[in-house]
Amino acid sequence: MKNELLTNPLLPGIRFWVCEDYYAMSRKAAAIVGGAMQQKNDFVLGLATGSTPVGLYQELVGMYEAGVLDFDKVRTFNLDEYYPISREDCQSYYYFMFDKLFSRVNIKKENVHLPDGSAPDPEAACKQYEASIEPVDLQVLGIGSNGHIGFNEPSDSFIYPTHVVNLTANTVKDNSRFFESADQVPRKALSMGIGTIMRAKSILMVVSGRNKSTALREAFEGGIVPQVPASILQLHPNVTVVTDREAASQIVSWT
Ligand code: PGA
């Protein structure tokens, strides 16, 4: 089955690609990231962690191995990191990114950036990270089942810059699948803010599975509210959402 492009005249900055399954979603997302990287040597790529982009990163590694992609001049900025956590901890997002992508391609270590989960002063680490972020050409995002992007959790207001986050019980529960028990999930994180994310020139959101279908519908078919942080993306001029059929199953106003 071919990937299906859905649009909505009310939101001209947003395109949905509905793909058959996770594998097709990952390939489509990699084609978008790879295509954009090929246009510009010193590409600035915003990256996300979580299980959804793993297939995308595998595809990018495959493209690198096939000689189609070169990471030599690429610079990356990740959305978030747990706090407190050391880079060597196999649960850290630093570790995840090296495991899934950075150690498998020719990116330079000095060109990869994540918030410092081991900084003694987390507020200062957030300020320093925010100041270090270059204009991002393309930001990869997932979405939480509660509608979060990065670790911008549902709240009463949108928080603009990189900041310290208290993870919600919902996110601790969702992420406990990566840990031996929920007790081991760090309760805080350092996350790019909504403003940081919205500054990216383009955004690619990858979404997979039925457990994301409500969050996806609320983000793109409901009001723009901080209780659904991803809904802010309706205001961005260049968003591509690549989803599998299950995640798109509740979308009705896109054709
Ligand atoms: P997941 O996380 O890909 O592991 O579902 C997505 C997110 O929380 O942004």
Side-chain angles (χ1 to χ4, degrees), residues 11-245:
L11 296 170
I14 305 177
R15 310 165 274 295
F16 265 86
W17 282 102
V18 182
C19 306
E20 190 53 29
D21 53 20
Y22 179 77
Y23 177 68
M25 179 206 76
S26 301
R27 283 186 68 96
K28 179 68 190 167
I32 292 169
V33 176
M37 282 175 61
Q38 284 164 341
Q39 304 298 313
K40 198 171 174 234
N41 237 345
D42 54 346
F43 200 76
V44 181
L45 182 57
L47 292 171
T49 49
S51 48
T52 315
V54 170
L56 159 63
Y57 297 152
Q58 264 167 15
E59 294 290 329
L60 292 178
V61 169
M63 290 165 88
Y64 163 72
E65 286 171 349
V68 178
L69 282 185
D70 181 8
F71 287 78
D72 185 51
K73 294 201 165 57
V74 172
R75 298 186 306 288
T76 65
F77 292 87
N78 262 78
L79 285 170
D80 47 20
E81 177 60 281
Y82 285 122
Y83 190 86
I85 203 157
S86 83
R87 291 187 155 177
E88 292 72 37
D89 190 318
C90 63
Q91 297 290 0
S92 76
Y93 287 165
Y94 186 90
Y95 188 99
F96 174 100
M97 287 310 307
F98 274 84
D99 185 39
K100 305 291 184 228
L101 182 66
F102 298 155
S103 67
R104 297 165 192 258
V105 297
N106 65 330
I107 197 159
K108 295 194 173 107
K109 206 172 174 184
E110 65 268 26
N111 286 345
V112 311
H113 306 86
L114 289 93
D116 183 359
S118 62
D121 178 347
E123 307 284 348
C126 288
K127 275 207 176 104
Q128 190 246 328
Y129 191 64
E130 180 74 20
S132 75
I133 298 173
E134 300 170 43
V136 170
D137 290 302
L138 187 153
Q139 175 68 55
V140 175
L141 292 180
I143 186 171
S145 63
N146 63 0
H148 75 199
I149 47 176
F151 272 131
N152 291 275
E153 300 283 42
S155 85
D156 292 335
S157 60
F158 290 113
I159 301 177
Y160 193 88
T162 301
H163 59 287
V164 182
V165 178
N166 292 312
L167 302 184
T168 59
N170 182 83
T171 296
V172 170
K173 181 169 151 282
D174 278 1
N175 288 11
S176 65
R177 69 190 194 279
F178 301 114
F179 293 77
E180 271 172 31
S181 72
D183 302 347
Q184 295 180 1
V185 183
R187 293 313 200 250
K188 287 182 192 283
L190 312 181
S191 177
M192 280 190 193
I194 290 294
T196 328
I197 293 170
M198 289 293 277
R199 280 205 309 273
K201 292 178 211 165
S202 64
I203 286 176
L204 171 68
M205 175 178 267
V206 281
V207 196
S208 168
R210 197 164 295 275
N211 65 323
K212 299 290 177 70
S213 60
T214 303
L216 194 64
R217 173 173 53 79
E218 287 177 352
F220 294 100
E221 297 194 338
I224 300 169
V225 290
Q227 290 77 16
V228 184
S231 64
I232 196 78
L233 299 175
Q234 293 181 36
L235 298 176
H236 194 284
N238 190 355
V239 178
T240 306
V241 184
V242 183
T243 152
D244 63 14
R245 223 159 260 293

